[in-house]
């Protein structure tokens, strides 16, 4: 339940620098600033490492054997870039007021789960350790407060506080205000991860707007284990973000719930259709373009040799090629985004890209002579409607618009 006694953020007009200015990370964390990492299972690291932009990206290892894989990558000198390990305790246990950091590791039961996890991560050479926070159910104020208080007591700004919250926290104004208030108490980065089936940000009409508000009002806020919202978060001023390299890693399913998946998920890989800014099963793309010429991809991985209808199964190298294609396209977008001055210009770039993609759907469907071939994702619609709050007229707006045209 929402706690009416919880602290509330001050009116924005009363905020002074800091913390209203974007928070610059210090120490080892400074290398995370402005990056979009890829959140990936250890088994799929080899599929995408070749397409990573070393200066703008990095890895977040997640799931079983993440620590072991991190130790291997560091120990053998295979990967010297930005590297995090997400303990993902939220996948198996919910946080509570008594145990915000549930015991899920192989350590002794009497070990402190938080201290043990942070020590294990540091031992394998991560860029920064991340807290093993349990899943925070919608409006579970006691669990959120307990987790925040424990991290505040650490007094270590080099620790990334994982905040795996149910998307229900972004539904109502009161819940959003309380989430912001408690996250602001943590000194270091706050890695928000959203829980909910399929596409959490599509569940509530104001979820996208409220997410932007969290990013804008919480110094050091980051968005991890997400989808294209990673770009929206970076455009809004997130300290860093992490894109899930696989549909399971683009959201959290609450412990105890069975994940809902698309039909045919196991038969073909997910492929990013850049023009429509969404992922589709390779088989779906092959079926839709059965009577038409599919777009040939010119990304750094496909190099004009692969068309989007060539991923209809998981046979051969198709899974690896699809993963490389997805990452290559994302890195192209990331390089474009980071070349734009932070602030309004980035927000306008993201808004315009989403709006253009929405407008492409009926055109592509008309070309295929299939009115319902591709349907606009609900989240994409909401990003396209989320116009930057700042007034775009005047010199600043003209400069931003000019930059958009050049990019």
């Amino acid at each position: 339940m929402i706690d009416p006694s919880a602290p509330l953020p001050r009116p924005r007009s009363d905020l002074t620098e800091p913390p209203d200015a974007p928070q610059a990370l210090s120490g080892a964390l400074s290398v995370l600033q402005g990056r979009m990492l890829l959140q990936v299972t250890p088994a799929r690291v080899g599929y995408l490492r070749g397409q990573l932009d070393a200066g703008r990206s990095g890895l977040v290892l997640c799931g079983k054997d993440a620590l072991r894989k991190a130790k291997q990558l560091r120990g053998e000198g295979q990967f010297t870039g930005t590297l995090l390990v997400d303990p993902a305790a939220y996948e198996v246990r919910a946080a509570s007021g008594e145990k915000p950091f549930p015991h899920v590791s192989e350590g002794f039961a009497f070990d402190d789960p938080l201290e043990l996890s942070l020590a294990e991560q540091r031992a394998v050479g991560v860029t920064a350790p991340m807290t093993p926070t349990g899943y925070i159910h919608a409006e579970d104020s006691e669990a959120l407060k307990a987790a925040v208080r424990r991290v505040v007591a650490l007094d270590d700004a080099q620790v990334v506080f994982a905040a795996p919250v149910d998307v229900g926290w972004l539904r109502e104004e009161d819940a959003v205000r309380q989430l912001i208030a408690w996250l602001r108490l943590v000194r270091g980065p706050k890695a928000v991860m959203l829980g909910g089936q399929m596409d959490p940000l599509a569940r509530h009409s104001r979820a996208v707007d409220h997410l932007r508000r969290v990013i804008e009002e919480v110094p050091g806020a980051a968005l991890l284990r997400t989808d294209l919202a990673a770009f929206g978060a970076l455009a809004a001023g997130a300290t860093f973000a992490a894109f899930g390299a696989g549909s399971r890693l683009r959201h959290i399913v609450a412990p105890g719930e069975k994940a809902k998946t698309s039909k045919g998920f196991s038969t073909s890989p997910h492929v990013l259709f850049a023009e429509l800014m969404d992922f589709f099963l390779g088989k779906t793309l092959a079926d839709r373009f059965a009577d038409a010429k599919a777009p040939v991809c010119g990304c750094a991985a496909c190099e004009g040799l692969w068309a989007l209808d060539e991923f209809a199964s998981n046979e051969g190298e198709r899974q690896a090629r699809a993963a490389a294609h997805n990452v290559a396209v994302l890195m192209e977008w990331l390089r474009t985004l980071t070349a734009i001055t932070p602030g309004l210009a980035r927000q306008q770039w993201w808004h315009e890209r989403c709006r253009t993609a929405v407008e492409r759907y009926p055109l592509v469907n008309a070309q295929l002579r299939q009115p319902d071939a591709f349907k606009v994702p609900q989240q994409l619609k909401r990003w396209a409607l989320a116009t930057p709050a700042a007034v775009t007229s005047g010199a600043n707006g003209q400069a931003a618009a000019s930059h958009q045209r050049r990019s």
Side-chain angles (χ1 to χ4, degrees):
M1 297 293 291
I2 290 295
D3 181 2
S5 66
L8 296 177
R10 291 169 290 166
R12 298 201 68 184
S13 59
D14 294 338
L15 296 175
T16 57
E17 298 181 4
D20 206 33
Q23 181 183 18
L25 301 180
S26 60
L29 288 174
S30 61
V31 300
L32 289 170
Q33 196 85 40
R35 290 178 183 264
M36 188 187 77
L37 311 176
L38 291 179
Q39 197 146 5
V40 62
T41 58
R44 294 180 66 86
V45 170
Y47 288 177
L48 49 82
R49 275 183 55 197
Q51 298 300 328
L52 275 181
D53 186 316
R56 296 173 176 84
S57 191
L59 296 175
V60 182
L61 298 180
C62 185
K64 186 179 179 181
D65 295 330
L67 282 169
R68 188 177 295 112
K69 184 65 174 181
K71 183 177 181 180
Q72 176 191 351
L73 290 174
R74 289 302 204 211
E76 299 176 2
Q78 298 180 31
F79 187 75
T80 59
T82 302
L83 178 65
L84 300 181
V85 166
D86 178 5
Y90 50 76
E91 291 185 334
V92 292
R93 297 282 189 278
S96 68
E98 296 74 30
K99 295 182 178 180
F101 305 105
H103 206 299
V104 296
S105 74
E106 299 176 357
F108 295 106
F110 53 79
D111 289 330
D112 179 79
L114 176 59
E115 293 183 359
L116 175 63
S117 180
L118 297 180
E120 288 176 336
Q121 292 175 60
R122 286 182 168 121
V124 299
V126 296
T127 302
M130 187 183 303
T131 64
T133 317
Y135 188 82
I136 302 176
H137 285 286
E139 302 184 1
D140 189 348
S141 296
E142 292 306 313
L144 177 62
K145 288 191 292 185
V148 167
R149 285 169 174 160
R150 184 68 201 283
V151 174
V152 169
L154 288 177
D155 194 29
D156 188 347
Q158 300 300 303
V159 170
V160 177
F161 173 46
V165 297
D166 189 276
V167 74
W169 279 96
L170 302 181
R171 182 174 52 216
E172 303 292 344
E173 182 74 15
D174 287 346
V176 175
R177 292 173 66 203
Q178 186 171 167
L179 178 63
I180 291 171
W182 282 100
L183 291 180
R184 285 173 64 95
L185 298 179
V186 177
R187 287 179 56 201
K190 281 70 69 172
V192 175
M193 292 176 270
L194 298 177
Q197 294 284 357
M198 303 297 281
D199 183 357
L201 284 172
R203 285 177 55 184
H204 305 301
S205 60
R206 299 193 63 193
V208 165
D209 288 333
H210 283 155
L211 174 62
R212 288 202 309 178
R213 181 177 169 190
V214 171
I215 296 298
E216 292 168 355
E217 297 190 19
V218 177
L223 182 64
L224 274 63
R225 195 164 178 149
T226 191
D227 48 21
L228 295 176
F231 290 94
L234 288 175
T239 300
F240 63 99
F243 194 104
S247 59
R248 189 178 68 81
L249 295 179
R250 294 181 197 131
H251 65 120
I252 301 171
V253 175
E257 291 187 14
K258 184 178 180 179
K260 298 178 182 178
T261 59
S262 304
K263 293 180 180 179
F265 174 75
S266 62
T267 63
S268 61
H270 274 89
V271 180
L272 179 54
F273 192 164
E275 188 177 0
L276 301 184
M277 287 181 65
D278 196 18
F279 289 85
F280 300 92
L281 289 171
K283 187 177 186 308
T284 298
L285 292 172
D287 290 344
R288 298 295 184 269
F289 286 99
D291 298 322
K293 185 176 181 180
V296 175
C297 182
C299 76
C302 295
E303 297 181 320
L305 301 176
W306 279 69
L308 291 183
D309 62 350
E310 298 185 52
F311 301 96
S313 73
N314 289 322
E315 295 178 358
E317 299 180 349
R318 286 177 175 80
Q319 285 194 69
R321 285 186 174 275
H325 156 80
N326 295 340
V327 174
V329 173
L330 294 174
M331 293 299 106
E332 290 175 5
W333 293 356
L334 180 60
R335 284 187 281 272
T336 302
L337 174 65
T338 54
I340 299 172
T341 304
L344 177 59
R346 284 191 182 183
Q347 295 175 44
Q348 290 179 318
W349 173 84
W350 172 245
H351 174 254
E352 181 62 22
R353 180 171 282 270
C354 293
R355 190 183 63 79
T356 300
V358 169
E359 293 174 350
R360 288 297 301 167
Y361 275 78
L363 299 178
V364 171
N365 291 344
Q367 292 170 0
L368 295 175
R369 297 181 181 179
Q370 301 176 51
D372 298 318
F374 298 106
K375 296 181 180 179
V376 184
Q378 193 64 238
Q379 185 190 150
L380 182 61
K381 289 181 182 178
R382 288 175 179 160
W383 283 112
L385 292 171
T387 307
V391 178
T392 59
S393 61
N396 290 338
Q398 292 172 3
S402 176
H403 198 141
Q404 285 183 40
R405 287 191 294 270
R406 291 197 302 271
S407 61

